[in-house]
């Protein structure tokens, strides 16, 4: 896939900074050591409504003092908010304390991409995207609204938003050096138009399209989910659908493929690397003497949660053991409360025809097959504890 070298170099830089350095554990326990990775939408909630099994299982996951029995990380492809806000929201919904250190949003690994932090970057999405970008380390951030204000003649699909009477002057902006796509925007036509303008003018919005070099400016995208599950009976468009539109438009206009410097969020391996680091830190705070041996990734989307967990499991089986004490395995558990439902049987390998994953990920049907299929998140947690020989009571 595009951006593989960038992901590897970013992860290497992150580890060398000390945050990802190996820890040494003593082996004083014979009980299995494991951690849980929870998707959110379709696993714990449907829109703003908690799934009943989620509350039940989280009451069992904490002791009387509210302390988690095993490391728990919430790995979501949502990204239009701050970690603190997501942690507070989960705490309210699940009725247990969730800390920001347990929450991993789709954009969280962007902290590792320090080579872009000093560039002038255009950010796309909704919510506090400028604040999110600065929190991740980006120093010079431009929003889509700022582009609209600086170049008022660019966004004219909506007749009611076109300039009336006199043409307002162009304010101009500093040349944009990279584009970051956090999540699906509200007005797709505006973002698609202005992002294309940035790419086709090489960041100089006052110039013409023609003459821009190819490959274009660096483009980093978070959250590749084509579909996600809210309260509606059927799945809704996700940021992956927006990426399909942007890729198609760029190809139609230029005849060239849109290229990504990095694709972040599930199912990318760098996302699970980052999640494993958060699990490891929690294990240390719990005072565990053994390194985490197995991760259980619980999700509802075969094309994102299951594909990503299985891809990471493959990575773990081939990764050198000399650097960090990586887990030995990542087991994928598919629940039937979201994108995948009990009413429809999981397609066999020979039947799998449609790939909802991103264009730059090779379609490997076996990676969409979960280690386990269960009814809901409570069954998933009970299964993990049983597999490890732990009591949930």
């Amino acid at each position: 896939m595009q951006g593989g070298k960038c992901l590897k170099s970013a992860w290497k830089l992150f580890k060398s900074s000390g945050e990802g350095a190996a820890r040494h554990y003593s082996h004083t326990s014979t009980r299995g050591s494991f951690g849980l990775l929870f998707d959110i939408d379709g696993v714990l909630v449907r829109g703003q409504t908690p799934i009943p099994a989620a509350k039940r299982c989280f009451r069992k996951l904490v002791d009387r003092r509210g302390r988690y029995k095993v490391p728990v990380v919430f790995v979501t492809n949502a990204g239009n908010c701050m970690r603190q806000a997501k942690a507070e929201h989960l705490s309210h919904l699940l009725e247990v304390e969730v800390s920001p250190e347990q929450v991993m949003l789709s954009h969280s690994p962007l902290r590792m991409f320090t080579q872009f932090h000093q560039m002038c970057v255009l950010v796309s999405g909704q919510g506090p995207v400028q604040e999110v970008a600065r929190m991740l380390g980006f120093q010079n951030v431009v929003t889509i609204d700022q582009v609209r204000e600086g170049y008022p003649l660019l966004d004219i699909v909506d007749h009611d938003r076109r300039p009336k009477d006199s043409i307002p002057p162009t304010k101009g902006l500093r040349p944009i050096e990279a584009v970051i796509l956090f999540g699906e925007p509200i007005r797709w036509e505006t973002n698609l138009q202005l992002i294309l303008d940035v790419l086709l003018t090489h960041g100089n919005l006052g110039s013409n399209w023609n003459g821009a070099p190819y490959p274009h400016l660096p483009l980093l995208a978070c959250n590749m989910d084509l579909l996600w599950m809210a309260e509606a009976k059927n799945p809704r468009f996700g940021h992956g659908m927006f990426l399909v539109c942007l890729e198609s438009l760029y190809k139609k206009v230029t005849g060239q493929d849109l290229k990504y410097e990095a694709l972040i969020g599930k199912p990318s391996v760098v996302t699970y690397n980052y999640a494993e680091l958060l699990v490891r830190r929690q294990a240390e705070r719990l005072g565990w003497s053994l390194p985490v041996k197995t991760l259980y990734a619980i999700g509802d989307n075969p094309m994102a949660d299951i594909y990503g967990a299985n891809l990471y499991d493959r990575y773990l089986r081939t990764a050198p053991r000399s650097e960090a004490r990586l887990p030995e395995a990542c087991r994928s558990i598919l629940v039937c409360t979201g994108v995948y439902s009990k009413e429809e049987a999981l397609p066999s390998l020979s039947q799998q025809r449609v790939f909802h994953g991103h264009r730059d990920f090779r379609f490997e049907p076996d990676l969409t097959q979960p280690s386990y299929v269960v009814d809901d998140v409570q069954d998933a947690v009970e299964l993990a504890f049983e597999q490890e020989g732990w009591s949930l009571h």
Side-chain angles (χ1 to χ4, degrees):
M1 57 166 280
Q2 301 289 351
K5 290 182 180 178
C6 184
L7 294 180
K8 289 178 183 177
S9 62
W11 182 243
K12 191 177 295 184
L13 179 64
F14 185 59
K15 288 196 294 184
S16 66
S17 70
E19 290 189 272
R23 273 74 168 183
H24 299 285
Y25 300 80
S26 61
H27 296 263
T28 60
S29 172
T30 58
R31 190 165 63 167
S33 178
F34 69 103
L36 300 173
L37 307 180
F38 289 94
D39 180 41
I40 297 176
D41 293 301
V43 175
L44 305 177
V45 299
R46 291 281 294 267
Q48 299 299 313
T49 306
I51 292 171
K55 283 188 178 182
R56 292 196 301 268
C57 86
F58 271 84
R59 289 192 197 106
K60 296 180 179 180
L61 270 176
V62 297
D63 61 22
R64 291 180 180 177
R65 295 178 298 167
R67 180 170 165 146
Y68 286 85
K69 298 175 181 177
V70 298
V72 166
V73 173
F74 300 89
V75 185
T76 175
N77 269 350
N80 291 311
C81 65
M82 305 287 282
R83 283 203 307 172
Q84 179 67 41
K86 181 62 76 173
E88 291 173 358
H89 184 59
L90 286 171
S91 298
H92 172 71
L93 291 176
L94 299 174
E95 299 177 356
V96 297
E97 184 66 29
V98 176
S99 71
E101 290 73 26
Q102 290 177 284
V103 175
M104 182 176 171
L105 302 170
S106 61
H107 54 61
S108 296
L110 284 175
R111 293 175 182 275
M112 300 186 296
F113 290 76
T114 55
Q115 67 270 42
F116 299 104
H117 286 179
Q118 299 303 318
M119 292 184 179
C120 181
V121 298
L122 174 69
V123 294
S124 169
Q126 57 182 287
V129 289
Q130 191 167 28
E131 186 181 359
V132 168
R134 294 192 187 283
M135 178 269 299
L136 292 168
F138 296 93
Q139 304 298 314
N140 303 295
V141 182
V142 175
T143 66
I144 291 291
D145 283 342
Q146 288 172 334
V147 171
R148 286 189 67 248
E149 293 168 6
Y151 298 88
L153 295 181
L154 298 185
D155 179 26
I156 61 168
V157 172
D158 184 342
H159 289 220
D160 291 335
R161 301 209 322 166
R162 291 182 180 181
K164 304 295 191 296
D165 303 322
S166 62
I167 298 176
T170 296
K171 298 177 184 176
L173 294 171
R174 174 182 166 180
I176 293 167
E177 300 169 278
V179 179
I180 301 174
L181 309 179
F182 280 124
E184 62 274 12
I186 296 173
R187 301 183 66 98
W188 287 31
E189 81 285 356
T190 293
N191 289 57
L192 290 169
Q193 175 72 76
L194 299 186
I195 291 168
L196 276 179
D197 282 328
V198 167
L199 296 178
L200 295 175
T201 62
H202 207 61
N204 298 288
L205 286 160
S207 62
N208 296 325
W209 278 7
N210 56 339
Y214 182 82
H216 48 71
L217 294 174
L219 179 66
L220 297 88
C222 312
N223 182 356
M224 295 165 272
D225 284 352
L226 191 76
L227 302 168
W228 69 289
M229 207 68 186
E231 288 96 342
K233 183 176 181 180
N234 296 308
R236 304 292 86 197
F237 291 169
H239 190 222
M241 197 72 77
F242 179 82
L243 299 182
V244 169
C245 295
L246 183 62
E247 292 156 11
S248 299
L249 288 170
Y250 188 86
K251 178 84 169 182
K252 194 72 173 177
V253 170
T254 68
Q256 305 276 9
D257 287 328
L258 191 73
K259 293 184 178 293
Y260 295 92
E261 193 75 17
L263 287 164
I264 305 165
K266 295 178 290 188
S268 69
V269 167
V270 72
T271 291
Y272 289 85
N273 267 328
Y274 198 95
E276 184 273 328
L277 172 64
L278 299 183
V279 166
R280 196 188 312 173
R281 288 175 176 171
Q282 285 187 52
E284 290 179 329
R285 286 195 291 270
L286 288 172
W288 284 16
S289 59
L290 284 172
V292 173
K293 183 178 178 181
T294 307
L295 295 176
Y296 290 90
I298 304 167
D300 70 306
N301 191 335
M303 299 290 182
D305 306 313
I306 304 306
Y307 193 103
N310 291 339
L311 193 63
Y312 188 57
D313 182 66
R314 176 192 290 175
Y315 164 81
L316 291 175
R317 285 187 274 112
T318 58
R321 297 286 160 185
S322 56
E323 297 182 13
R325 297 300 304 274
L326 292 172
E328 294 179 7
C330 181
R331 306 296 183 212
S332 56
I333 306 179
L334 179 65
V335 298
C336 305
T337 52
V339 171
Y340 174 75
S341 65
K342 242 163 94 165
E343 283 71 31
E344 46 186 89
L346 192 67
S348 66
L349 296 181
S350 60
Q351 294 173 322
Q352 193 72 267
R353 291 287 183 268
V354 180
F355 182 48
H356 288 173
H358 190 268
R359 176 200 71 182
D360 290 354
F361 282 76
R362 188 173 59 190
F363 184 21
E364 298 184 60
D366 60 311
L367 291 180
T368 67
Q369 303 301 303
S371 307
Y372 310 96
V373 181
V374 297
D375 285 344
D376 55 39
V377 66
Q378 182 173 348
D379 289 342
V381 170
E382 289 175 350
L383 172 66
F385 272 68
E386 181 182 340
Q387 290 292 314
E388 297 298 322
W390 283 53
S391 172
L392 194 53
H393 304 287

